[in-house]
Amino acid sequence: MVRAHQIVPQAAGITCHAWNSTGDMLALCPNNNELHIYEGCNSADMASWRRAHVLAEHDMIISGISWSHANNKIVTCSHDRNAFVWKFDAAANRWVPTLCVLRIDRAALSVEWSPDGTKFAVGSGSKSVPVCFHDNSQYTDWYVSKMIKKHKSTVIQVAWHPNSQIIATVCSDRRCRVISATMQEVDATADAGPFGQPAAFGEVYPNAEYPCAGWAVAAAWSPSGTKLCFAAHDSSIHIVDYAAGGTVCAVNYSLLPLSAVMFLGEGAVVGGGHDMEPLLFSRDAQGGWAMKTRLDTDFSASRKGSQQAAVTKISAARAMFQAKTTRGEEASDGVSATFKTTHRNAITCIRAVPSGGGGGGGGGGQFSTTALDGQIAMWETSSLNVDMGALRI
Amino acid sequence: MAAVAERERSVRSLLHKDLTAALRKALENPPVGTRDKAVKDKNTDVVLDVLGAAKDAQLAPAVAALSAEESDALMKYVYRGLAKPAPNGALFRWHAAVLERGGVGCVVRAVADRRTV
């Protein structure tokens, strides 16, 4: 049910990745200033994926990649405070960057295209969210930004509502906010999604500022846009259900914090983070939410008590670092054998894989995870469905 | 402060009869919102008295009887107690017991939460 490939060296790690609309191309950043684009990724043999382009326009680590499925453009943002939109020039067989005027004075940490591909939002350390759109009013070819300035600290991630006019931001001031990103320049009519009245650009929707105990670090909308999920650095996830009047269900689980979340349909959330394996959350019998399972250790042959496995993993990580420092080894077989998970370091990014992409899939959906161990792993959701019976995806 | 003093009296009366009840009473509504350090200190003393009075065999059943919120609060008090320059070996046994119940997520919450006890 899971296939993994060491796509970049373990010492490097992967900060983020993104798929194109047909799932045969993959963009990732190996924890440096380069954007790597792989081709042939619809092959089931992951070792045959071919690195076709290495784009080194940024000066520092690329912290976010988003590939628009509406117009096949890639946007990247980096700690160097810049973002580039990449367009493929088929005649010259190369990716051409376009500069974006972000107007931020701290690192950019994440970037996401709106689902309709007309604008993108950047989370940054300058306590603001530039929302950029292509400026075609003059004889220019660049992206200009409008600022959302409602945050008291670093905005770690942004997530677009499916209507492309609302964003959720998670911030290290321990708040998740839902903010209007409606723009006259690109949006014909204002749409308030699950809220009654459209707000002006940059305004937080009423009662849509959700507190949590730790930094808010990741957010995602459900496919219908009626549910919002955000994860915090206090090992909790919160699910806001707008179909039920905006009620918030908080789940404090017993493992380490997440750094990426994604909905699997309307009834399940998968999250990845410092536990090195995806965790699955779903509706419980009482209509609330609960952590359902860990996708690696709970399925492994040597099933252990959850606590025991967690402690083993920590000692395995310690053994790995010990091997690195005392013997200068990357990972001897003896050490790697002590890991019970596919990934051997924190998961940094989760993406849905377009159908047909990544090879395999077995008719069901897939999602991919990348981690700081340089591996990419493909997880089949259909097998989750079978294994977990009552799961309502 | 009066509420904490009241709590101290009821905890003391329970302490030698029913440790679990005393612990739950001590962890009820921890004063996380107040800026008065004296209140927090006093409440910490009440909780640590309970923790110090427990015998080893009582730890696991007492922790098992707590709700998720109470065990998170207990972990915060364990860390608060460990920060004190005092003989606190018993707190390590409590730490192990709470970790067994709440997992590392409980530790993460105790360390990350700004609503300190």
Side-chain angles (χ1 to χ4, degrees):
Chain A
M1 60 159 289
V2 56
R3 296 174 297 129
H5 176 45
Q6 188 77 48
I7 197 161
V8 304
Q10 186 179 1
I14 299 173
T15 54
C16 47
H17 75 287
W19 294 91
N20 75 342
S21 59
T22 48
D24 60 345
M25 293 171 81
L26 170 72
L28 62 82
C29 166
N31 210 5
N32 61 13
N33 66 326
E34 295 170 355
L35 174 66
H36 292 190
I37 296 180
Y38 286 78
E39 289 180 353
C41 301
N42 47 2
S43 160
D45 175 17
M46 296 171 85
S48 74
W49 298 1
R50 187 167 49 83
R51 192 171 72 189
H53 303 275
V54 174
L55 310 171
E57 198 74 22
H58 282 293
D59 296 327
M60 291 183 190
I61 288 174
I62 295 175
S63 48
I65 304 174
S66 179
W67 199 322
S68 173
H69 294 179
N71 55 21
N72 200 35
K73 287 177 189 165
I74 301 174
V75 61
T76 56
C77 72
S78 160
H79 290 182
D80 65 11
R81 300 167 301 174
N82 283 325
F84 289 109
V85 173
W86 303 84
K87 269 186 289 193
F88 188 62
D89 180 352
N93 188 31
R94 68 187 196 101
W95 287 88
V96 183
T98 309
L99 186 66
C100 311
V101 186
L102 288 188
R103 297 187 291 140
I104 53 176
D105 55 3
R106 298 285 189 279
L109 294 179
S110 67
V111 65
E112 233 25 90
W113 277 110
S114 66
D116 64 4
T118 54
K119 51 196 171 186
F120 60 86
V122 179
S124 79
S126 65
K127 307 182 189 178
S128 60
V129 178
V131 181
C132 304
F133 58 98
H134 191 253
D135 177 20
N136 43 17
S137 58
Q138 294 155 355
Y139 300 103
T140 53
D141 180 27
W142 61 42
Y143 285 77
V144 293
S145 60
K146 284 176 86 171
M147 288 296 195
I148 295 173
K149 296 181 174 176
K150 292 290 176 190
H151 303 89
K152 298 195 179 77
S153 186
T154 297
V155 181
I156 298 172
Q157 251 184 36
V158 292
W160 284 94
H161 187 273
N163 76 356
S164 298
Q165 297 194 20
I166 301 173
I167 58 174
T169 61
V170 281
C171 183
S172 59
D173 63 5
R174 307 191 302 283
R175 296 277 188 282
C176 171
R177 297 174 175 84
V178 180
I179 301 175
S180 169
T182 301
M183 278 187 198
Q184 297 158 337
E185 289 88 341
V186 290
D187 296 318
T189 54
D191 178 10
F195 302 94
Q197 188 71 27
F201 175 86
E203 292 298 318
V204 180
Y205 273 99
N207 305 321
E209 187 173 307
Y210 308 104
C212 49
W215 297 350
V217 289
W221 291 90
S222 72
S224 70
T226 55
K227 292 192 188 74
L228 167 68
C229 166
F230 66 95
H233 214 278
D234 61 346
S235 288
S236 69
I237 70 160
H238 305 248
I239 287 130
V240 188
D241 189 350
Y242 291 102
T247 52
V248 184
C249 176
V251 181
N252 289 335
Y253 56 94
S254 64
L255 300 167
L256 294 174
L258 301 175
S259 38
V261 290
M262 191 181 88
F263 270 90
L264 298 176
E266 297 289 325
V269 170
V270 65
H274 298 275
D275 261 300
M276 311 181 199
E277 66 181 314
L279 311 179
L280 190 83
F281 300 85
S282 65
R283 287 244 167 117
D284 62 17
Q286 289 81 41
W289 287 71
M291 196 188 125
K292 183 101 176 172
T293 186
R294 316 198 294 175
L295 295 195
D296 245 344
T297 36
D298 286 352
F299 280 101
S300 68
S302 58
R303 188 184 284 248
K304 295 273 172 103
S306 62
Q307 189 47 46
Q308 202 176 351
V311 171
T312 316
K313 204 152 51 176
I314 290 169
S315 53
R318 182 182 296 141
M320 186 186 78
F321 284 117
Q322 220 157 33
K324 269 189 183 172
T325 51
T326 57
R327 299 196 291 277
E329 290 171 4
E330 278 274 288
S332 71
D333 280 348
V335 171
S336 62
T338 59
F339 276 93
K340 290 194 162 37
T341 53
T342 306
H343 284 299
R344 293 176 202 164
N345 208 331
I347 293 173
T348 52
C349 186
I350 299 183
R351 294 280 186 191
V353 182
S355 81
Q366 286 188 102
F367 65 90
S368 57
T369 56
T370 52
L372 291 176
D373 64 353
Q375 288 189 97
I376 180 165
M378 315 286 295
W379 308 79
E380 287 182 15
T381 52
S382 57
S383 61
L384 300 183
N385 216 346
V386 171
D387 287 340
M388 291 181 290
L391 175 67
R392 281 174 282 175
I393 288 191
Chain B
M1 197 67 187
V4 175
E6 169 64 35
R7 180 198 307 247
E8 185 181 12
R9 270 193 300 280
S10 43
V11 168
R12 291 235 183 286
S13 66
L14 283 169
L15 193 51
H16 296 292
K17 286 181 278 182
D18 183 352
L19 180 93
T20 307
L23 182 61
R24 294 194 68 168
K25 184 75 191 164
L27 293 173
E28 211 173 65
N29 294 327
V32 291
T34 178
R35 297 190 175 202
D36 188 349
K37 191 164 178 299
V39 172
K40 291 192 174 188
D41 286 347
K42 182 73 188 163
N43 204 57
T44 303
D45 289 342
V46 173
V47 178
L48 293 183
D49 282 352
V50 178
L51 300 189
K55 296 182 181 64
D56 281 0
Q58 292 174 309
L59 259 62
V63 170
L66 299 179
S67 72
E69 288 76 26
E70 286 168 336
S71 72
D72 283 357
L74 174 56
M75 192 56 114
K76 287 186 194 173
Y77 278 109
V78 168
Y79 274 91
R80 179 82 201 272
L82 288 171
K84 284 185 165 198
N88 45 22
L91 290 178
F92 286 106
R93 288 192 290 280
W94 278 101
H95 188 281
V98 184
L99 182 67
E100 182 74 31
R101 181 190 188 285
V104 282
C106 188
V107 176
V108 170
R109 277 190 286 281
V111 175
D113 200 339
R114 294 282 289 274
R115 293 168 297 186
T116 55
V117 293

